[in-house]
Amino acid sequence: MKKLHLVLAFLLCSSALVSSQNFSAKVKDSESGKFLNDVTVTAVSSGKIQITDTNGNFSFDGISFPLKLKFSFIGYRSTTAIFDASEEGTIIELQRDVDVLSEVVLRSSNIPQKLLKESAAVSVLSAEDFNRVDDFNLVQNLNYVPGVFVSQGALNTNKIDIRGIGARAQYSTNRIKSYINGIPLTTAEGELTLDDFDNSYLDRIEIYKGPVSSIFGAGLGGAINLYTQRNRPDQRSVQTNFSYGSFNTRKTGVNVNYVEDSLDIAINYNKLDSDGYRDNGAYNRNSFVVTAGLLNKKGNRWDLFYNYTNLKAFIPSSLNEDDLLNSPTKAAFTWGRAEGYESYDKNILGLAYTHNFSENWKNQTSIFMNSRDGYEPRPFDILDEDRNSIGLRTNFNHETAIVGMPAKVSFGAEGMLEFYEVTTYQNLYEDFENRGSVQGNSLSNNEQDRDYINFFGQIQLELTSKLTADLGINLNTTSYDLQDNFNQNTEDQSGDYSFDAVVSPRLGLSYEAFKGKHFYASASHGFSAPTVAQTLTPEGSINTDLQTETAWNYEIGFKANWFKNRLYTEVNAYSIQIRDLLVARRIDQDRYVGVNAGKSDHYGLEFTSAYLQPLSNDASIKFLLNANLTDYTFDKFVDLGENYSGNEIPGVPEYMLTPAVEFSYKDFSANINYQMFGEMALDDSNSGSTDAYELLNFRLDYSTQITSYLEAGANFGINNITDELYASSIVTNAVGFGGSAPRYYYPGMPRNYYAGLNLKLSL
């Protein structure tokens, strides 16, 4: 009996030793690779807490597996993960929370720089920022950025302006440069469409506000830079998600990630369908994205990006004031009868190579190709277009010393060739009842070849330990060739045209007055060249007198961290003077000509703040407040005998204010945000304006680690809780035809709901 007791005691001790073990690991920054000290590591089941040392180490004694740990550190995203005994010694990577940590390094500048030290107004949106509203429309997230306004007509009808530049564009975004992983998205003509991109594969958006042509070239309003997610070491996973919202809106997506040794691959497919809030508003989009990276033994890297988009989206168009107030769901009469829509197949391909010549010399060179095959039946005609472009960008970086001062030097070039073919046809929808659009005879046939090249250079000098200077310059040349293949009229639009070379300098200063508190000032030049369509006169000939639109931006600002990085604040004031102002004069239903109408002045004040307060090991609360005040007017603007000098520039809200509160507790998080926008003038004469409006939005998220291999999440939200009736976009200077009232307004979405589920399997 005594021997039996000894055996039982031995078995119990052995069992305890098996179930009660030790576990140690390390924590580091996912971007810099630096090991992090003072990270709070909590064992969820027992509540035991460990703090990482200066080398990022932590360990637990007397624990059982599987082990669920939560990692918390101010300025970083809280992370929960499940480990088994075989993962002893693993390295956990924490990602920076760009809402509260201004130390994040900007990727889009030619010379990498911390946000806090950048002598420019730059806003950064993280993946978590996309969770304020639904995930059906990426660009709506930009409406939380001070100085940026997105006019939202439909899922496929979005117009972005930055500091009022681009507000007078009719139906699309122009005067803004944009890149994804360094690949240009803006066409050679300056047109931009971001509606195609999805937040499911994006990690960050960086927005430079105001004329910064010394860095990005022809972008009078600024630059929007998109970056896809970066895979972590040894990550192999499959993630699926499904979302459903009001108006039968459905989104399905799949993400596949594979990382092994020096190779990383990510594949994303998503499909978005909606019946639409308004008549003739159905939407269908299929998107496929591949990113890949390969690091060789010498530390040099190849990166690949490919995106394919197939879209068919019907167009309800704009409404007059009576329909906005009484029948906001209806489509414009002619667009409804013609069943007007746009459809296209788009491809974006880029290949980049980063080579380290030495510790102080580096070069990144990328080649890129874009194509778009589009077809758009409108009531007044049918547009058939084919656009193809190819380009190259190269950038050298060198760290050195100039006159004994530490310096960083960047120089390079970007060039693009674009080939555009466009044909218009008669739309015979009125001759065929209930058949929608029917293609008739051709009305025009043009070929446009356009090219540009930018040469750029930038020097960053550390004048003292606290004062840094940035000097930049860009030289741009732009030209095009227009070939008129439609010879049924006497006017032949064929011809060559080159714009004068434009030199865009920039000077910026950043001064650290106190630790973590920086003042900055800058002066920068920007420009936008006219589109081919704008260079044509009403008679169809080329207007060789049209000038490139230019501007100077003067800015002062203050960026600061407070309370050990829990609070970040930024305030800036700017003044932009635009000369040779390009305006679109309407001469027919879909015909505009460009006019250099004079000058405009843009004055504004922007404010950004984010405060994170931990409440306990499991809970935290975050407060955000973004705002801007604007004063955008025509300084000198006389057109067709009408004097608009002193009037407000139409299409821009007088103010924006967006307070928000985010609360997280264990696996739950909630966000409630309030958006307030001021009045917008409808036209250059300021004959009327929209009403100011306010939107209240709410979202609840839940995520949990079910096993060490399986994660699950769910979300639910309500947009426009108060069911506000408002105009989310306007057509500036709309004209009524045939005695009808002008159709200025796109109705905003009423109260709407959405919910989503996702599963992630790690292999």
Side-chain angles (χ1 to χ4, degrees):
M1 181 65 68
K2 187 175 181 180
K3 292 183 178 179
L4 179 61
H5 288 165
L6 290 174
V7 171
L8 289 174
F10 174 77
L11 291 175
L12 288 173
C13 291
S14 299
S15 176
L17 289 173
V18 171
S19 61
S20 180
Q21 302 180 48
N22 300 331
F23 179 80
S24 61
K26 300 169 74 74
V27 182
K28 72 175 184 179
D29 183 299
S30 64
E31 289 190 14
S32 67
K34 179 182 177 181
F35 289 105
L36 300 174
N37 63 305
D38 295 329
V39 177
T40 300
V41 186
T42 306
V44 176
S45 59
S46 65
K48 291 183 179 180
I49 296 176
Q50 294 292 329
I51 306 296
T52 59
D53 62 20
T54 55
N55 294 316
N57 296 303
F58 71 92
S59 62
F60 284 91
D61 299 326
I63 48 89
S64 58
F65 293 99
L67 175 63
K68 186 174 184 180
L69 299 177
K70 180 178 180 179
F71 301 87
S72 304
F73 190 41
I74 292 175
Y76 288 77
R77 304 175 191 173
S78 294
T79 301
T80 301
I82 296 177
F83 302 90
D84 56 38
S86 65
E87 295 176 286
E88 169 79 13
T90 192
I91 296 177
I92 297 92
E93 295 187 347
L94 295 188
Q95 293 181 303
R96 300 188 183 215
D97 186 342
V98 298
D99 280 335
V100 297
L101 188 67
S102 56
E103 295 297 309
V104 62
V105 176
L106 299 171
R107 302 177 192 169
S108 44
S109 177
N110 291 332
I111 298 176
Q113 177 68 289
K114 291 183 179 181
L115 175 64
L116 191 68
K117 296 182 178 181
E118 181 68 50
S119 60
V122 186
S123 293
V124 181
L125 293 173
S126 67
E128 279 69 29
D129 292 322
F130 303 150
N131 293 334
R132 294 189 179 111
V133 287
D134 61 72
D135 60 353
F136 302 135
N137 185 359
L138 173 68
V139 297
Q140 66 183 330
N141 294 281
L142 304 185
N143 262 340
Y144 293 88
V145 176
V148 180
F149 180 67
V150 181
S151 299
Q152 302 174 76
L155 287 172
N156 63 310
T157 308
N158 297 278
K159 180 178 65 176
I160 306 168
D161 74 75
I162 300 179
R163 294 181 172 177
I165 299 173
R168 299 182 76 263
Q170 294 303 307
Y171 306 106
S172 62
T173 299
N174 60 24
R175 296 174 173 82
I176 294 174
K177 287 283 282 188
S178 186
Y179 298 81
I180 185 165
N181 291 355
I183 301 168
L185 299 176
T186 305
T187 69
E189 278 204 317
E191 296 289 328
L192 172 64
T193 301
L194 293 181
D195 313 333
D196 302 333
F197 297 98
D198 193 84
N199 58 13
S200 61
Y201 51 79
L202 292 179
D203 174 64
R204 179 191 298 185
I205 300 177
E206 297 179 2
I207 304 171
Y208 279 74
K209 294 176 284 188
V212 283
S213 292
S214 63
I215 302 175
F216 301 105
L220 198 65
I224 301 175
N225 297 274
L226 284 65
Y227 293 94
T228 56
Q229 295 173 357
R230 290 182 171 180
N231 295 322
R232 297 184 178 186
D234 300 323
Q235 177 184 358
R236 299 168 191 169
S237 63
V238 178
Q239 183 173 355
T240 62
N241 58 77
F242 175 76
S243 299
Y244 186 84
S246 299
F247 318 114
N248 198 27
T249 304
R250 298 95 61 201
K251 178 183 169 185
T252 305
V254 178
N255 284 285
V256 179
N257 296 290
Y258 179 84
V259 182
E260 184 173 9
D261 297 329
S262 59
L263 175 67
D264 63 86
I265 300 173
I267 301 172
N268 173 278
Y269 169 78
N270 67 79
K271 178 177 176 60
L272 178 60
D273 298 282
S274 180
D275 292 346
Y277 162 55
R278 299 174 58 198
D279 298 338
N280 203 57
Y283 181 94
N284 174 267
R285 186 191 73 203
N286 290 275
S287 179
F288 180 72
V289 175
V290 177
T291 59
L294 178 63
L295 188 68
N296 66 22
K297 294 180 180 179
K298 295 182 179 181
N300 304 319
R301 182 177 175 87
W302 290 93
D303 286 285
L304 172 74
F305 175 84
Y306 173 69
N307 171 234
Y308 168 75
T309 301
N310 170 264
L311 174 80
K312 183 173 183 179
F314 287 83
I315 302 174
S317 196
S318 54
L319 299 176
N320 60 39
E321 185 176 13
D322 182 66
D323 287 335
L324 170 71
L325 298 175
N326 300 297
S327 305
T329 62
K330 70 181 295 185
F333 177 72
T334 54
W335 282 87
R337 283 195 61 194
E339 298 179 12
Y341 65 88
E342 69 167 332
S343 64
Y344 54 77
D345 291 282
K346 180 188 292 186
N347 293 274
I348 302 171
L349 175 64
L351 180 65
Y353 177 65
T354 303
H355 185 80
N356 298 293
F357 296 101
S358 67
E359 185 177 346
N360 297 324
W361 271 103
K362 183 175 74 171
N363 169 260
Q364 184 180 66
T365 298
S366 60
I367 57 173
F368 48 87
M369 293 174 285
N370 296 341
S371 69
R372 183 183 184 276
D373 183 7
Y375 189 77
E376 184 176 346
R378 295 95 60 94
F380 36 85
D381 65 19
I382 294 176
L383 175 69
D384 190 355
E385 55 184 350
D386 189 17
R387 187 191 305 268
N388 295 276
S389 62
I390 185 170
L392 179 144
R393 180 180 176 88
T394 185
N395 183 33
F396 291 87
N397 286 83
H398 179 51
E399 294 187 19
T400 183
I402 299 178
V403 197
M405 295 180 293
K408 296 179 180 179
V409 180
S410 172
F411 60 91
E414 174 184 309
M416 178 186 288
L417 296 172
E418 185 172 82
F419 312 98
Y420 180 58
E421 298 180 12
V422 56
T423 305
T424 59
Y425 300 91
Q426 293 176 315
N427 193 337
L428 306 178
Y429 72 95
E430 293 180 305
D431 299 336
F432 297 87
E433 196 70 27
N434 299 322
R435 282 188 54 185
S437 294
V438 177
Q439 182 174 309
N441 295 326
S442 61
L443 300 172
S444 67
N445 185 351
N446 293 310
E447 294 182 23
Q448 302 171 10
D449 298 337
R450 192 175 179 105
D451 64 84
Y452 73 78
I453 185 167
N454 293 315
F455 298 97
F456 54 83
Q458 185 177 351
I459 299 176
Q460 184 181 99
L461 286 173
E462 191 175 312
L463 302 177
T464 70
S465 60
K466 293 182 177 294
L467 180 63
T468 302
D470 288 295
L471 299 93
I473 194 166
N474 180 282
L475 172 66
N476 173 273
T477 62
T478 300
S479 62
Y480 69 81
D481 171 72
L482 177 63
Q483 182 66 42
D484 188 350
N485 298 323
F486 192 75
N487 299 314
Q488 296 185 17
N489 55 39
T490 57
E491 286 289 345
D492 186 353
Q493 299 178 357
S494 302
D496 299 325
Y497 190 75
S498 296
F499 297 100
D500 293 336
V502 179
V503 177
S504 295
R506 181 181 186 275
L507 171 63
L509 296 171
S510 177
Y511 177 69
E512 186 179 18
F514 308 97
K515 183 175 176 57
K517 296 165 181 62
H518 290 250
F519 291 92
Y520 75 89
S522 66
S524 57
H525 183 269
F527 70 97
S528 289
T531 65
V532 173
Q534 288 175 327
T535 60
L536 299 180
T537 67
E539 294 75 28
S541 58
I542 294 178
N543 178 8
T544 57
D545 295 327
L546 205 60
Q547 300 297 312
T548 297
E549 186 178 36
T550 62
W552 276 99
N553 177 73
Y554 305 96
E555 185 171 325
I556 57 173
F558 176 66
K559 303 177 183 181
N561 280 324
W562 312 83
F563 311 126
K564 296 182 179 179
N565 288 354
R566 291 180 183 175
L567 172 65
Y568 174 71
T569 60
E570 180 177 339
V571 61
N572 64 71
Y574 60 87
S575 171
I576 304 174
Q577 281 76 48
I578 300 179
R579 299 299 178 258
D580 291 319
L581 179 69
L582 276 171
V583 299
R585 179 190 296 161
R586 191 168 191 163
I587 59 175
D588 204 346
Q589 289 194 62
D590 191 48
R591 288 191 64 200
Y592 301 85
V593 295
V595 179
N596 287 122
K599 307 175 182 179
S600 67
D601 297 323
H602 300 235
Y603 301 99
L605 184 68
E606 298 168 353
F607 177 76
T608 301
S609 66
Y611 176 71
L612 175 65
Q613 177 60 56
L615 302 177
S616 68
N617 291 328
D618 296 319
S620 66
I621 190 168
K622 183 187 296 183
F623 299 94
L624 302 103
L625 179 63
N626 297 326
N628 66 254
L629 294 173
T630 65
D631 180 18
Y632 305 152
T633 58
F634 294 114
D635 180 6
K636 181 181 178 182
F637 180 13
V638 179
D639 188 30
L640 296 178
E642 294 290 336
N643 190 348
Y644 304 114
S645 303
N647 288 357
E648 293 181 11
I649 294 176
V652 188
E654 294 178 342
Y655 62 84
M656 179 273 277
L657 183 66
T658 59
V661 178
E662 298 177 0
F663 175 78
S664 64
Y665 176 71
K666 292 187 176 180
D667 295 333
F668 290 90
S669 63
N671 179 297
I672 185 165
N673 59 82
Y674 199 53
Q675 297 177 283
M676 290 172 272
F677 297 96
E679 296 180 352
M680 293 184 287
L682 295 175
D683 51 30
D684 296 337
S685 63
N686 293 178
S687 63
S689 63
T690 64
D691 293 330
Y693 63 92
E694 303 172 2
L695 303 175
L696 180 63
N697 308 304
F698 170 78
R699 174 163 168 156
L700 178 67
D701 284 85
Y702 172 76
S703 61
T704 184
Q705 188 88 32
I706 299 174
T707 71
S708 58
Y709 304 103
L710 184 63
E711 299 175 42
N715 65 74
F716 169 78
I718 310 174
N719 296 326
N720 192 5
I721 293 174
T722 58
D723 202 23
E724 180 103 347
L725 177 61
Y726 66 102
S728 58
S729 178
I730 63 170
V731 179
T732 57
N733 299 303
V735 177
F737 293 93
S740 60
R743 296 190 290 108
Y744 287 110
Y745 309 96
Y746 280 91
M749 292 279 281
R751 182 189 301 118
N752 60 94
Y753 306 84
Y754 61 92
L757 296 171
N758 65 81
L759 290 173
K760 182 178 180 180
L761 177 64
S762 298
L763 306 174

